[in-house]
Amino acid sequence: MADRFIATYQVRAEASAIAARAAEIAVEQSVEMPLAAIDAPDILRDIVGQVANIAELAPGRFEVRIALSCATAGADAGQLLNMLFGNTSLHDDVILVDAEFPPAILAAHSGPNFGLHGLRARGKIGRRALTCSAIKPQGLPPAQLATLVHRFALGGLDFVKDDHGLADQTYSPFAARVAACAAAARAAGGTTRYVPSITGTQDAMRQQIRIASDEGIDTVMLAPMIAGLANMAALTREFPSIAFFAHPSLAGAARIAPPLLIGRIFRLLGADAVIFPNHGGRFGYTPSTCRALAEAARGDLAATRPSVPVPAGGMTLARVPEMLDFYGPDVMLLLGGSLLAAHERLTEATAEFTAAVARHEYKEGVLF
Amino acid sequence: MADRFIATYQVRAEASAIAARAAEIAVEQSVEMPLAAIDAPDILRDIVGQVANIAELAPGRFEVRIALSCATAGADAGQLLNMLFGNTSLHDDVILVDAEFPPAILAAHSGPNFGLHGLRARGKIGRRALTCSAIKPQGLPPAQLATLVHRFALGGLDFVKDDHGLADQTYSPFAARVAACAAAARAAGGTTRYVPSITGTQDAMRQQIRIASDEGIDTVMLAPMIAGLANMAALTREFPSIAFFAHPSLAGAARIAPPLLIGRIFRLLGADAVIFPNHGGRFGYTPSTCRALAEAARGDLAATRPSVPVPAGGMTLARVPEMLDFYGPDVMLLLGGSLLAAHERLTEATAEFTAAVARHEYKEGVLF
């Protein structure tokens, strides 16, 4: 089965119907036509999806594993998603919950340029958790965003990223914002990296990376589900000296399990850090989903570098110790609005955050 | 409110909680931070999302209309989706059901290069419904796919498209497939257009369009949710003489209402024809969803050309009259596997299909 990859779906069905439903999914995700209309025996043998296993999880709910041909996915990241869930995403009785990739697929996707260890080494961060905040609200002009970068940097953060709503708007054009924010980070005299959000077409993102690079920036953020998966993978290869943060915007809309999409697939496509909604914040992910996502992002995956999981979405200083106990030090903590709410005390609140991360003593038994 | 666009969500909530939940969505889709942390009065006034209306649809289910700033979306198609549903897609109590765009947004997106009327005129198709089929299964080499194109063309179809699983795989490289299929369509001597599926990065898709164009092809297909929305919009502008079909791969079950995403948004980004799962086929869309999608694709939308709705997914010859009565003549019918199942009678079955479309007498009272 080295020439097959495994897609695992959760399917709602009656017990009497699941075998037929599984066979339908195997066809839908491969040849997408009646098998009786296929004359070629090699296609029936090598290309048509195969039902590898069906297991009942609960009455009316099944786990279905389908073995799909690696040749159909090829080396293109978008095509991989197309074959994993393209048409089946149109069926609301199915969720894509997992995927297993053989060496042929893994070798086609190079993963992060830096990843967890590279980001640590580049920033001389040691073994503590990494720290991050975000500049917002959108609507502010570049000079005011740059002031926020400067004050965050004085508080000792590793990264200050653009809010994911910042694009190339008239009130804050990309080039002007990046120049101002990069200068502000430098002026703080520390090691804080400003991380601009890149948007638009492959051409536009490429141009934005060049602008950022000219300002001495070595880390950018994009939203893979908006940017296009193939574009993301191509940009990470075109710019091997740049680290990429992946933002989950629009990634929740697809009924693909977050550990697979945000953890494993975004990592495979080259995300050095993957941002996701932490449990207990503004979003509904459970602790077990978050743990599985973190494990998918940084656990073993052939020779692919681990990504840094970045739990976020309404996190506060008060939650820092609990989050560090939950995730261990191989994590990046991202506090945004709760730091910005400190207004004129922004630098001090940021310093409290970075100090809390630096001095945290991990309990015994932390998994990672 | 000309500087605002309206996003309409369906939200599950208790009646006592809906006002607060609506306000949260308005913040999440705009500034994404606590309003108390925002000092600038112009941002509070001009950028923060505003709850325009809340209406109870049923106990525990509400329609919430949020007015979002056009300035935050700008002219980028990806950023428009980001602002419509980016972070809120991560909340499973919310579905994006509709959007209303003022002239500022509509003017930024040029819509189809040809659209319904342009495709008719270019193909001298007159007032009947348009016809289409697909070559598959993937796994076939270019010569055999070309044979299918030739036999379909002899049956008199307007369009023969690639299966959406066909990309640039080793068993059927794009350039070789397109050359063979374009030659096969020409050799049939009719007016059938072969429609290759383009995939990968913006660069790759651009190159594929050039290859196709060199073969005399003037119509291509892509999957916007995989290709990246901004890429699609950019390609439609870069190649004004090419018509674009939009495939719904990965667009389904996205908790974005299909009439909005596939009908209106894909059209706005430049889809000349939008493929979607017809009711009663392999997929679960209802007749009312299909009708709304068709209306969104071809109804009035400022100066934007109408797209052709393409109901598909397991359609058969037997259903042609009923589909024509349902959609009227402003539609493209797409039969794939059911024609391929005719094996050596492929051309004859295709001719029966095209004849059924040509001779159909529309009942009085057809809406369109």
Side-chain angles (χ1 to χ4, degrees), chain A residues 13-81:
Chain A
E14 298 296 319
S16 60
I18 187 63
R21 186 72 189 91
E24 283 173 4
I25 296 170
V27 169
E28 192 70 56
Q29 290 309 115
S30 55
V31 293
E32 200 204 340
M33 65 181 289
L35 296 186
I38 299 178
D39 297 320
D42 56 332
I43 291 177
L44 292 168
R45 183 187 65 227
D46 299 335
I47 301 292
V48 172
Q50 297 171 350
V51 179
N53 195 54
I54 299 174
E56 186 168 20
L57 299 172
R61 196 156 61 86
F62 295 85
E63 182 183 273
V64 173
R65 287 160 52 86
I66 310 271
L68 297 165
S69 161
C70 292
T72 65
D76 179 67
Q79 179 67 3
L80 181 63
L81 261 284

Side-chain angles (χ1 to χ4, degrees), chain A residues 32 91 163 203 231 282, chain B residues 32 91 163 206 231 282:
Chain A
E32 200 204 340
H91 284 296
D163 177 32
D203 286 344
N231 289 326
R282 296 201 308 272
Chain B
E32 201 205 338
H91 284 294
D163 178 31
R206 176 186 287 132
N231 290 328
R282 297 199 309 274

Side-chain angles (χ1 to χ4, degrees), chain A residues 337-363:
Chain A
S338 68
L339 294 181
L340 292 162
H343 291 277
E344 67 281 1
R345 283 192 68 259
L346 179 62
T347 296
E348 292 80 356
T350 304
E352 289 167 25
F353 167 39
T354 57
V357 171
R359 71 165 178 257
H360 186 77
E361 293 185 15
Y362 293 90
K363 293 173 186 164

Side-chain angles (χ1 to χ4, degrees), chain A:
Chain A
M1 297 288 275
D3 54 348
R4 298 260 173 180
F5 61 102
I6 307 289
T8 302
Y9 306 95
Q10 278 192 19
V11 184
R12 289 194 319 269
E14 298 296 319
S16 60
I18 187 63
R21 186 72 189 91
E24 283 173 4
I25 296 170
V27 169
E28 192 70 56
Q29 290 309 115
S30 55
V31 293
E32 200 204 340
M33 65 181 289
L35 296 186
I38 299 178
D39 297 320
D42 56 332
I43 291 177
L44 292 168
R45 183 187 65 227
D46 299 335
I47 301 292
V48 172
Q50 297 171 350
V51 179
N53 195 54
I54 299 174
E56 186 168 20
L57 299 172
R61 196 156 61 86
F62 295 85
E63 182 183 273
V64 173
R65 287 160 52 86
I66 310 271
L68 297 165
S69 161
C70 292
T72 65
D76 179 67
Q79 179 67 3
L80 181 63
L81 261 284
N82 192 21
M83 292 294 96
L84 277 171
F85 203 48
N87 268 12
T88 293
S89 82
L90 298 158
H91 284 296
D92 67 7
D93 60 340
V94 185
I95 299 170
L96 174 65
V97 291
D98 204 359
E100 293 159 53
F101 302 119
I105 299 275
L106 291 171
H109 303 283
S110 49
N113 289 332
F114 293 92
L116 173 65
H117 306 305
L119 291 183
R120 280 194 193 288
R122 210 181 54 166
K124 300 186 175 58
I125 293 172
R127 275 294 294 164
R128 67 164 168 77
L130 292 72
T131 57
C132 185
S133 191
I135 52 171
K136 30 187 173 178
Q138 60 173 331
L140 289 180
Q144 289 188 46
L145 293 168
T147 299
L148 292 175
V149 170
H150 187 253
R151 294 168 69 197
F152 273 135
L154 291 177
L157 293 172
D158 298 317
F159 299 97
V160 179
K161 72 170 191 65
D162 279 347
D163 177 32
H164 86 289
L166 296 179
D168 193 18
Q169 293 108 336
T170 51
Y171 47 72
S172 177
F174 183 88
R177 178 173 85 245
V178 167
C181 291
R186 282 194 302 272
T191 58
T192 304
R193 286 174 153 84
Y194 165 63
V195 182
S197 177
I198 61 172
T199 59
T201 62
Q202 181 188 22
D203 286 344
M205 292 188 284
R206 177 186 286 132
Q207 179 62 16
Q208 290 165 5
I209 293 175
R210 288 188 181 137
I211 291 170
S213 198
D214 287 346
E215 296 289 343
I217 285 167
D218 61 10
T219 311
V220 301
M221 179 178 79
L222 53 69
M225 295 305 284
I226 293 177
L229 298 161
N231 289 326
M232 176 188 176
L235 289 171
T236 63
R237 287 178 198 177
E238 184 175 347
F239 296 99
S241 65
I242 300 289
F244 290 79
F245 288 14
H247 191 281
S249 181
L250 219 65
R255 286 191 303 109
I256 304 176
L260 172 63
L261 182 63
I262 299 177
R264 190 151 350 136
I265 292 177
F266 287 1
R267 170 186 179 183
L268 211 50
L269 304 194
D272 294 276
V274 292
I275 302 169
F276 63 96
N278 195 33
H279 59 91
R282 296 201 308 272
F283 299 87
Y285 286 13
T286 63
S288 65
T289 294
C290 293
R291 195 181 298 275
L293 197 164
E295 179 56 25
R298 66 193 176 186
D300 286 344
L301 184 65
T304 310
R305 293 186 181 92
S307 295
V308 186
V310 190
M315 296 299 102
T316 59
L317 181 60
R319 289 198 59 184
V320 166
E322 166 249 309
M323 292 173 73
L324 292 173
D325 285 336
F326 185 86
Y327 290 103
D330 286 344
V331 71
M332 182 187 300
L333 297 192
L334 166 53
L335 269 58
S338 68
L339 294 181
L340 292 162
H343 291 277
E344 67 281 1
R345 283 192 68 259
L346 179 62
T347 296
E348 292 80 356
T350 304
E352 289 167 25
F353 167 39
T354 57
V357 171
R359 71 165 178 257
H360 186 77
E361 293 185 15
Y362 293 90
K363 293 173 186 164
E364 283 190 54
V366 168
L367 275 174
F368 307 100

